[in-house]
Amino acid sequence: MRLLILSDKRAGHENQSIAFAKHLNAEFEIVDVKFSNKTFKLLSYLLDFLHIYTKNIFTCKDISKNYDFIVSTGSSTYYANKTLSKKHKIKSIVLMLPKNYRFDFNFIFAQTHDNPPNKNNIINIPANFSYIEPKQIYKPLKKSIGIVIGGDNTVFKMKTETLKNQLDFIKSHFCDYEIAVTSSPRTSKEIEELIESYCFDYSVIFSQKKVNPIPDFLQNCEYVFITIDSTSMISEAISYGNSYVEVLPINEKKDNKFYKMTRSLEDSDFLHIFDNQVSNKNKKVDFLKYARKVVL
């Protein structure tokens, strides 16, 4: 099987498409797509409504017909996906609900918290596609706890005091455990300084050392704590290993996609939203089962 992945160059989107391909053990090529003008994205909604498809409003390199599927994630790729699919007669797959476009792709994988409509071509999935490959970066010497810390985004601003209280709880509650922590590309300098002040058994400060030990945390740690600001990191945690997953709220905001997703996953026993107590929720998503639905 050969897949063409259309990328908007956002890592969180591109990685979902790559994960989908890897679950199917498929060959894939990644091609960048971009609207030629910022206003053309709005125009694409109208053109799609009118069933008009043209390459004149986006840029990408020429492609061949030697693909089984065109796969993409993210709203900036959906019009191009549909246009190229129709031109080359290749089936189309999108990995999030394509809001503002008609739902006439061949396959749509839609996260449950988006409340997708009941259609034959829509496959509900509990989280974002993820594919975990441990790197053997982190190897604990005894039973261990992993902590994954993100950072500010368009919805959240991480409060240092809130995170400090959470880290204090983890340190005291799991005093007999080895504790490993990693920051991320979005972690602020202030938060990184807070992490360094604890002298954890193992720590990655991403601004100083750009490695990703999260797959190894999921493979080795009894509990993994993850801040709520990243749907990608949460999706990874509920798709691999046996760790109990605790999601750390970082402020009081609850009317957003991050809380909708985590509430939905908590209701299905994939994780627990930390409330100064820990739970034992470690149900895992079998993304291969979902990916195979496009070829059965």
Side-chain angles (χ1 to χ4, degrees), residues 212-223:
N212 178 16
I214 297 174
D216 296 318
F217 288 6
L218 300 177
Q219 183 180 56
N220 296 307
C221 295
E222 184 175 325
Y223 279 84

Side-chain angles (χ1 to χ4, degrees), residues 258-288:
F258 301 93
Y259 259 98
K260 287 180 182 177
M261 175 178 169
T262 51
R263 286 292 185 200
S264 175
L265 294 172
E266 184 177 50
D267 290 343
S268 298
D269 292 330
F270 288 107
L271 55 79
H272 173 245
I273 300 175
F274 179 73
D275 54 1
N276 294 318
Q277 298 183 64
V278 295
S279 185
N280 294 326
K281 295 190 176 185
N282 66 346
K283 183 179 175 182
K284 303 300 176 184
V285 180
D286 181 2
F287 281 118
L288 174 60

Side-chain angles (χ1 to χ4, degrees), residues 50-168:
L50 296 173
H51 298 252
I52 298 173
Y53 299 98
T54 173
K55 286 185 65 179
N56 292 334
I57 67 169
F58 65 88
T59 59
C60 78
K61 75 173 191 178
D62 291 335
I63 69 166
S64 70
K65 298 180 180 180
N66 299 319
Y67 300 100
D68 297 291
F69 297 101
I70 299 177
V71 180
S72 68
T73 312
S75 60
S76 294
T77 67
Y78 297 147
Y79 181 82
N81 188 325
K82 196 176 287 190
T83 301
L84 296 173
S85 170
K86 292 179 180 298
K87 178 181 178 181
H88 296 289
K89 296 180 172 55
I90 304 171
K91 290 183 178 179
S92 58
I93 299 173
V94 296
L95 302 184
M96 295 194 300
L97 191 68
K99 298 173 183 177
N100 299 313
Y101 293 100
R102 292 185 299 108
F103 295 161
D104 60 345
F105 297 86
N106 290 102
F107 296 97
I108 297 171
F109 289 91
Q111 286 72 18
T112 303
H113 64 272
D114 281 332
N115 298 314
N118 185 17
K119 291 181 175 289
N120 291 336
N121 65 327
I122 295 181
I123 301 167
N124 283 24
I125 55 176
N128 303 340
F129 268 100
S130 299
Y131 188 88
I132 303 300
E133 297 176 289
K135 304 290 196 306
Q136 307 307 315
I137 296 171
Y138 169 64
K139 297 180 181 180
L141 299 178
K142 60 179 182 179
K143 59 183 182 178
S144 61
I145 301 299
I147 307 172
V148 181
I149 297 173
D152 300 343
N153 58 27
T154 56
V155 174
F156 293 116
K157 181 171 177 57
M158 188 174 290
K159 292 186 176 181
T160 306
E161 183 180 355
T162 299
L163 182 61
K164 183 180 185 308
N165 290 336
Q166 294 164 343
L167 295 178
D168 287 345

